Amino acid sequence: MSTATNIKRIAISTGGGDAPGLNAVIRAATLAAVNRGWECYGIREGFNGIFFPERFQDGGLFQLTRDRVRGIAHLGGTILGTTNKGNPLKYPLKMPDGSIREVDRSNEILEFFAKKQIDALISIGGDGSLTIAHALAEKGLKVVGVPKTIDNDLDKTFTTFGFDTAVSFATECLDRLHTTAESHQRVFVVEMMGRYAGWIALHAGISGGAHAILIPEIPFDLDKVVEKIRMRDGVGRVYSLIVVAEGANVIHGQRSVMEKAQVGQAERLGGIGEKVARVLAERTGKETRTVVLGHLVRGGSPTSFDRLAAMRFGAAAVRALDEGFTNVMVSLAFPNVQYVPLEEVAGRMKSVPLDSDTLLTGRDIGICFGD
Ligand code: F6P
């Protein structure tokens, strides 16, 4: 295939938390590039392969060939490795007095691309990585972003890859908890990832038959959840499943944070499940257990939906470069993939709209949202 843009060599980087489907993007992008006669390279661990080549046996950059990407589309994780520490725009540099200062290392990335004669970057990541991708593109690097996150909180795309796998697994967990909760007449509080958005909790909660779903978009009042549990008890349904998104919080309350944000690193959420469980146990008198799904929802093979979406994204990213696009993200706008400017995505979060029909479905079937 001819290239309108004279691209000969591209590199791929995966940044932020991993998500099922990363390897499928890498495979599709590599094959689409190789089939155009381009060379394709993988950068190790986000941009660590550029900043710390000495840490890697292959110098932090390795060629992605047809052979190298054979049989990886169904594998979780990323063969490139990833990191959610050390944002190049706000890199944490240790000063001689032990303090940490933020520095912008993005120029080193541009210099690396020039030195290695790599013409373009495919950056696969969530909001953080795509904001970095946008900054690099603004400085003149050809960049196409691919939307990845289990949280589904990226704007301008119907969905991100990784989300469907996370929801499917979380749903299966709820299915399993119903039986043990019912046998023991217990309340189970199930904490799920998702950062500041409630997508995973909402979708898995409805699919998995939760009786209450608490999400960041709807600050909750636990008395409403207590009422729901008592109402169920009153009609002989003596167990309840309560799904809590890690970023949910009580009305006028604070988010539950496990670890504060540090330079170049976001805060770590968690712990809300146990807090909710304690209050519910006290107020209902029922035996209560907490299950934190945590990183389990991020592992394993991508579902066929995520695998196909990831492969479509990977191939589309190469097509975008071939067609002369840069500073864009490939996105899903059913039935097709489209390109959207990175500036419309960077730094914007997609929350669950309060009028979404999924949320309304939950309300219509009697799920309590704590409001
Ligand atoms: O963004 C993906 C995600 O899994 C969030 O849902 C979660 O809050 C965070 O990453 C966890 O990050 P870490 O892997 O650093 O614990």
Side-chain angles (χ1 to χ4, degrees):
M1 274 176 246
S2 70
T3 61
T5 48
N6 211 19
I7 284 180
K8 292 193 177 64
R9 288 150 75 89
I10 63 167
I12 304 178
S13 156
T14 52
D18 67 344
L22 279 166
N23 284 322
V25 181
I26 294 168
R27 174 169 159 77
T30 300
L31 294 181
V34 167
N35 286 339
R36 282 169 167 76
W38 303 355
E39 284 177 8
C40 190
Y41 291 85
I43 304 170
R44 297 267 181 206
E45 294 176 11
F47 295 110
N48 280 346
I50 296 177
F51 296 149
F52 308 105
E54 69 287 354
R55 285 190 191 166
F56 305 96
Q57 280 181 354
D58 52 16
L61 183 78
F62 66 103
Q63 190 165 2
L64 291 166
T65 58
R66 198 178 290 281
D67 274 352
R68 189 63 192 81
V69 299
R70 184 165 290 130
I72 65 166
H74 65 293
L75 299 177
T78 159
I79 61 164
L80 304 182
T82 188
T83 177
N84 54 10
K85 294 193 182 82
N87 176 347
L89 304 175
K90 294 178 179 180
Y91 200 86
L93 201 67
K94 201 164 185 182
M95 305 311 285
D97 67 355
S99 63
I100 305 281
R101 195 159 63 87
E102 276 182 18
V103 292
D104 181 350
R105 299 188 70 176
S106 56
N107 283 343
E108 291 173 52
I109 299 174
L110 273 93
E111 283 156 19
F112 177 89
F113 272 74
K115 190 168 135 214
K116 300 281 180 188
Q117 296 182 312
I118 299 175
D119 306 307
L121 168 70
I122 293 179
S123 174
I124 315 172
D127 178 42
S129 305
L130 295 174
T131 302
I132 296 162
H134 178 51
L136 293 172
E138 289 290 307
K139 288 188 167 198
L141 189 66
K142 283 194 182 111
V143 185
V144 172
V146 175
K148 165 240 66 170
T149 167
I150 60 163
D151 303 337
N152 194 38
D153 58 355
L154 277 180
D155 206 5
K156 305 289 174 197
T157 183
F158 170 74
T159 190
T160 53
F161 73 84
F163 173 62
D164 185 63
T165 309
V167 169
S168 301
F169 178 78
T171 301
E172 191 195 328
C173 292
L174 292 175
D175 290 347
R176 287 168 183 253
L177 289 172
H178 273 279
T179 50
T180 179
E182 184 161 22
S183 306
H184 289 263
Q185 308 93 51
R186 284 172 170 161
V187 172
F188 267 80
V189 177
V190 188
E191 181 182 311
M192 295 182 189
M193 281 188 171
R195 288 204 83 77
Y196 308 122
W199 293 104
I200 299 176
L202 178 68
H203 285 225
I206 293 178
S207 308
H211 306 109
I213 302 174
L214 307 177
I215 59 175
E217 291 83 351
I218 307 176
F220 59 83
D221 170 358
L222 280 181
D223 282 342
K224 304 284 179 191
V225 183
V226 169
E227 252 172 53
K228 174 78 183 176
I229 295 169
R230 289 207 179 117
M231 192 268 282
R232 285 178 52 74
D233 273 357
V235 293
R237 308 299 291 142
V238 288
Y239 80 102
S240 290
L241 291 191
I242 316 299
V243 166
V244 189
E246 62 178 358
N249 57 279
V250 72
I251 296 171
H252 306 308
Q254 302 274 317
R255 272 189 207 112
S256 187
V257 174
M258 296 264 269
E259 215 179 301
K260 284 191 184 151
Q262 292 166 36
V263 179
Q265 202 183 324
E267 68 184 4
R268 197 149 70 85
L269 300 175
I272 186 70
E274 191 52 40
K275 290 176 189 164
V276 164
R278 242 182 278 136
V279 175
L280 292 180
E282 256 169 47
R283 295 196 198 162
T284 63
K286 290 185 76 75
E287 214 178 356
T288 303
R289 294 286 185 270
T290 311
V291 176
V292 180
L293 298 188
H295 293 78
L296 288 170
V297 299
R298 239 165 68 179
S301 289
T303 57
S304 57
F305 178 90
D306 275 342
R307 207 179 302 182
L308 179 61
M311 296 192 80
R312 291 171 68 194
F313 285 152
V318 169
R319 273 201 311 278
L321 288 171
D322 202 4
E323 290 162 12
F325 286 89
T326 177
N327 210 352
V328 295
M329 177 186 85
V330 295
S331 94
L332 202 53
F334 276 119
N336 284 319
V337 165
Q338 64 175 9
Y339 314 141
V340 293
L342 273 173
E343 67 173 344
E344 289 180 18
V345 182
R348 300 198 195 172
M349 200 190 95
K350 183 176 72 180
S351 304
V352 173
L354 296 183
D355 61 352
S356 84
D357 88 278
T358 311
L359 189 58
L360 297 179
T361 300
R363 293 197 189 280
D364 281 337
I365 65 174
I367 295 173
C368 166
F369 285 91
D371 59 346

